[in-house]
C-alpha cells in the first residue's frame, strides 16, 4: 500500500466544514486505490457537532451507490446520530425498514440514501471511520483458518468479527461484540470475508491506519503469493492481445445474450497473470466456491463460467436459485441466469454486462479475485463463504427493491454500433444518436477528434484509415475486445472532391474518391459481416449515401458515381445477407450545412447566388425545413430500431423534399 496523504492537498479540500472536507479527501484516497475498493465499494463517515462546541450528534456517511474515487461533500448525507443509535437497541429490523428509518433520520431533504453500513459507522465511537474491501485482507480471511491468520498478523491491534450479512444484522452483531473490546489500542475491525474498518479522531490517522493494516496483510500474503505465482505454468497457445478469433468472442457473446434474454456486452482481459491463472486447474476449481466477498456477487454472480457453455451455466444457475429461494426472508424474483464472468484458456477473462460499465465492473472485480485466489491458495487454500450466504446477498431485499424501481432499459442497451467517419459531421451525429439510445459505440476516423466524440466507458474512439484493410481489421479486433461483437454498422466516412466538369476529370482525384467511397466500403462490409451475422438480435447496416445518387449535379461526377456504386453495394448486401437476418439500408441526405464542407462564407455566397438569405437558403426544400447532422443521425438510429425490423434494401431521402429527386 502507498500512503498518498498530502497535508497541503487535504487542507485545500473544499466542503461546508473542515471535518467533512477531510473526510472527502480521505475517501478519494481510498477510492483511488483498486487494492482497497472497487467499482463503488467501500464507505466512510465523520461525526460532527451540530453546534459549535456541542457533542458529536450528526453523522455524515457515504451515500449509497457513490464511487469514492470522485466523491464530493454532497454525497455524504447528514443524519441524527441519536436516532441511529436508538435503532441499534432493537433486536430485529428488516433492512428495507432500516433504510426507511435512515431516511427519516436524514437532516437534509434530497440528499442520497445513506450507506447500508450506516448503523455500524454510527456504532463505532470515533469521529472518522473508513471501510474498505482490501484485497490483502480478503486474502487472509478467505482461507480455512482465516480468523487465526488475522490474529497472527495483527495481535491485539484489531477486533475480529465473524461473517454476518451486511445491513442491520451486521450492525446488531457488532453492537453485541464490540462494546468493551474497543480499548484505546484498537486501530481497526476485521470483518471476516467482508473487509476492514479503521477509525481515529482525525481523518489522516484513520487513513494511515488503513494503509498500515492493509500493508501488514500484504506482507503476510505476499511471500506465499509470489511462490504460488511461480508455481503456475502459463497456458500454451493462450491468445495474446488481439489474438483471439473475433468470431469466437462474438459467438460467445451471442450465447450469453441468449441465456440472459437480452443483448449483453463482453469485455476481455488477457494479460500474463490471467493466462497463468487459467493454466492452473486447482485455482480454476477454487473459482467455483464463490466470490472473495459477498458484496461482489451483485456484479459477478456466485461463480464464473469456465469455458463457453453459457446454456449449461444458465441451467446450473436455475438449480442454485431453486436450492435457496425458499430460505429467503421474503419472496424473490430470479435474476437472469447468464454468467457475468467467463474464464476460458484461449480467450482469457471476460466480463459480461448490459452496459459497458457493468461488464467493466465484473472484469475488474474478478481480476482482483484471481489475485486473491492465487495468494490464498498459497496460504493453504482459498475458501469462500457457503453458497447460502452468497445467495442471501445476491437476493437481498434491498437489491430486489432496486430491480422494481428501475425503469426500462434504453432500446439499444447491450448492443454495439460501429460508425466510420465519426469525428465530425453526419458520422459524429450518428454516433451520438446511437449512444443516446443506449448503444455502446465504436467510432472510427482518420482524425484525432474521434477520441472525444463521446465519453467512455460506452464509447471507444479509434484512429484508423478506412482505406487500409489492416487498420480496419485491427479496429474490429479492438471493438470486439472492448464490447464483444457488433450489431450495427453505420458507414459515414466519405469524401467530396473538388468540382470539375467530366471532360476535365483528374484521374488521380477520381481514383481517390472511389477508393474512399467505394473500395473501402466493400472491404468494410466484408470484414464486418461475420460479426453482424452473430449479433444477438440481428445485424443492421446503414450507408450514408447522397441525393446525388438520384439527382446528380454537374461538376460532381466522381462523387455522384461513387455514391451510386456504394448504394449498389448496399443493395447487393441486402440481397445476400437477408438469410443471416442482417438488414441493409441507405439514407440519402442533402443540404446538410453544419458539416465541415460548409463555411459561413460559402453559405453566404451560395445564398446570394439564389437571391436568398442564409436561413432561407438552408430551408430551400419542399418542406421548408433545415436538415442538420442531428436530423440525419436520429433517422439512422431509428432505421436501426425495431420499428424498421421488416425493412431492408430501402433508400430513404433526408432532404426536406427535393423537386429534382421527386
Amino acid at each position: 500500500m502507498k500512503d498518498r496523504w498530502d497535508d497541503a492537498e487535504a487542507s485545500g479540500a473544499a466542503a461546508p466544514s473542515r471535518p467533512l472536507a477531510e473526510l472527502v479527501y480521505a475517501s478519494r484516497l481510498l477510492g483511488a486505490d483498486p487494492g482497497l475498493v472497487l467499482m463503488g465499494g467501500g464507505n466512510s463517515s465523520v461525526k460532527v457537532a451540530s453546534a459549535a462546541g456541542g457533542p458529536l450528534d450528526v453523522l455524515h456517511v457515504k451515500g449509497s451507490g457513490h464511487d469514492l474515487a470522485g466523491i464530493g461533500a454532497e454525497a455524504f448525507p447528514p443524519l441524527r446520530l441519536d436516532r441511529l443509535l436508538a435503532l441499534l437497541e432493537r433486536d430485529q429490523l428488516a433492512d428495507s425498514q432500516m433504510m426507511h428509518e435512515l431516511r427519516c433520520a436524514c437532516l437534509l431533504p434530497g440528499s442520497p440514501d445513506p450507506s447500508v453500513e450506516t448503523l455500524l459507522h454510527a456504532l463505532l465511537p470515533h469521529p472518522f471511520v473508513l471501510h474498505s474491501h482490501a484485497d490483502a485482507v480478503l486474502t487472509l480471511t478467505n482461507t480455512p483458518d482465516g480468523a487465526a491468520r488475522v490474529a497472527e498478523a495483527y495481535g491485539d491491534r484489531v477486533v475480529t468479527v465473524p461473517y454476518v450479512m451486511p445491513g442491520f444484522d451486521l450492525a446488531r452483531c457488532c453492537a453485541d461484540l464490540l462494546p468493551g473490546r474497543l480499548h484505546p489500542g484498537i486501530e481497526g475491525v476485521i470483518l471476516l470475508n467482508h473487509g476492514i474498518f479503521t477509525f481515529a479522531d482525525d481523518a489522516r490517522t484513520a487513513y494511515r491506519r488503513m494503509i498500515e493494516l492493509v500493508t501488514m496483510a500484504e506482507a503476510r500474503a505476499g511471500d506465499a503469493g509470489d511462490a504460488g505465482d511461480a508455481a503456475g505454468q502459463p497456458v500454451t497457445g493462450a491468445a495474446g492481445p488481439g489474438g483471439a478469433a473475433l468470431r469466437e468472442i462474438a459467438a460467445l457473446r451471442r450465447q450469453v445474450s441468449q441465456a440472459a434474454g437480452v443483448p449483453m456486452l463482453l469485455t476481455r482481459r488477457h494479460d500474463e497473470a490471467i493466462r497463468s491463472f487459467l493454466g492452473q486447474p486447482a485455482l480454476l476449481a477454487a473459482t467455483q466456491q464463490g466470490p472473495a466477498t459477498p458484496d461482489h456477487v451483485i456484479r459477478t454472480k456466485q461463480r464464473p463460467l469456465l469455458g463457453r457453455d453459457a446454456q449449461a451455466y444458465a441451467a446450473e444457475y436455475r438449480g442454485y436459485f431453486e436450492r435457496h429461494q425458499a430460505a429467503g426472508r421474503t419472496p424473490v424474483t430470479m435474476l437472469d441466469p447468464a454468467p457475468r464472468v467467463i474464464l476460458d484458456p484461449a480467450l482469457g477473462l471476460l466480463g459480461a454486462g448490459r452496459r459497458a460499465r457493468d461488464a467493466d465492473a465484473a472484469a475488474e472485480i474478478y481480476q482482483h479475485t484471481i489475485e486473491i485466489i492465487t495468494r490464498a491458495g498459497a496460504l493453504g487454500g482459498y475458501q469462500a463463504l457457503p453458497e447460502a450466504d452468497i445467495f442471501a446477498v445476491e437476493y437481498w431485499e434491498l437489491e430486489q427493491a432496486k430491480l422494481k424501481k428501475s425503469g426500462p432499459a434504453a432500446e439499444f442497451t447491450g448492443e454495439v454500433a460501429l460508425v466510420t467517419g465519426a469525428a465530425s459531421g453526419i458520422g459524429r451525429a450518428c454516433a451520438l444518436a446511437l449512444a443516446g439510445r443506449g448503444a455502446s459505440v465504436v467510432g472510427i476516423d482518420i482524425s484525432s477528434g474521434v477520441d472525444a466524440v463521446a465519453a467512455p466507458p460506452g464509447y471507444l474512439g479509434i484512429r484508423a484509415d478506412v482505406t487500409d484493410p489492416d487498420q480496419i481489421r485491427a479496429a474490429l479486433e479492438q471493438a470486439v475486445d472492448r464490447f464483444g461483437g457488433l450489431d450495427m454498422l453505420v458507414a459515414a466516412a466519405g469524401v467530396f472532391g473538388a468540382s470539375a466538369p467530366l471532360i476535365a476529370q483528374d484521374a488521380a482525384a477520381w481514383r481517390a474518391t472511389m477508393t474512399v467511397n467505394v473500395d473501402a466500403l466493400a472491404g468494410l462490409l466484408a470484414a464486418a459481416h461475420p460479426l453482424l451475422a452473430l449479433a444477438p438480435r440481428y445485424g443492421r447496416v446503414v450507408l450514408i449515401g447522397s441525393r446525388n445518387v438520384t439527382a446528380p449535379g454537374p461538376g460532381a461526377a466522381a462523387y455522384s458515381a461513387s455514391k451510386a456504386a456504394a448504394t449498389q453495394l448496399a443493395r447487393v448486401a441486402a440481397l445476400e445477407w437477408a438469410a443471416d437476418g442482417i438488414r441493409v439500408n441507405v439514407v440519402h441526405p442533402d443540404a446538410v450545412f453544419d458539416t465541415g464542407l460548409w463555411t459561413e462564407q460559402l453559405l453566404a455566397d451560395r445564398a446570394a447566388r439564389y437571391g436568398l438569405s442564409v436561413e432561407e437558403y438552408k430551408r430551400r426544400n419542399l418542406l421548408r425545413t433545415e436538415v442538420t447532422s442531428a436530423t440525419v443521425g436520429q433517422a439512422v438510429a431509428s432505421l436501426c430500431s425495431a420499428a424498421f425490423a421488416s425493412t431492408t434494401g430501402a433508400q430513404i431521402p433526408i432532404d426536406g423534399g427535393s423537386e429534382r429527386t421527386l
Side-chain angles (χ1 to χ4, degrees), residues 465-497:
D465 184 344
V466 294
T467 67
D468 186 328
D470 291 337
Q471 291 187 37
I472 289 300
R473 191 178 304 111
L476 288 173
E477 288 180 356
Q478 290 182 61
V480 173
D481 259 16
R482 181 69 190 93
F483 297 125
L486 183 61
D487 302 88
M488 294 168 273
L489 171 62
V490 178
V495 294
F496 191 114

Side-chain angles (χ1 to χ4, degrees), residues 517-545:
N517 293 358
V518 184
D519 301 348
L521 174 64
L524 176 64
L525 291 174
H529 170 263
L531 301 177
L532 292 167
L534 290 168
R537 283 181 177 156
Y538 36 70
R540 284 139 284 172
V541 177
V542 180
L543 168 66
I544 307 300

Side-chain angles (χ1 to χ4, degrees), residues 174-303:
C174 289
D176 292 334
L177 288 176
L178 295 182
R181 300 181 66 184
L182 295 177
H183 58 76
I186 295 294
E187 300 173 1
V189 172
I190 302 289
L191 308 176
L192 296 182
N193 305 95
H194 184 148
I196 176 173
F197 279 81
T198 58
F199 29 74
D201 291 338
D202 62 273
R204 180 175 62 178
T205 302
Y207 169 76
R208 286 184 165 163
R209 283 179 174 175
M210 177 70 73
I211 297 303
E212 183 178 358
L213 293 179
V214 175
T215 298
M216 293 171 68
E218 285 183 326
R220 285 279 169 173
D223 292 340
D226 293 339
D229 291 340
Q233 297 299 317
V235 179
T236 57
L246 303 187
R247 295 188 193 188
E248 293 179 16
I249 298 175
L252 179 57
R253 173 181 172 241
R254 187 172 188 172
Q255 264 205 73
V256 171
S257 299
Q258 289 170 344
V262 290
M264 299 280 283
L265 304 175
L266 295 184
T267 192
R268 178 172 176 253
R269 300 186 178 200
H270 43 74
D271 62 23
E272 183 58 38
I274 291 171
R275 293 195 292 274
S276 176
F277 182 88
L278 296 178
Q280 302 179 62
L283 297 182
L284 282 178
T287 67
Q288 301 302 286
Q289 291 188 37
T293 174
D295 290 60
H296 292 166
V297 74
I298 306 302
R299 299 286 196 176
T300 67
K301 288 197 179 289
Q302 194 261 345
R303 62 187 63 168

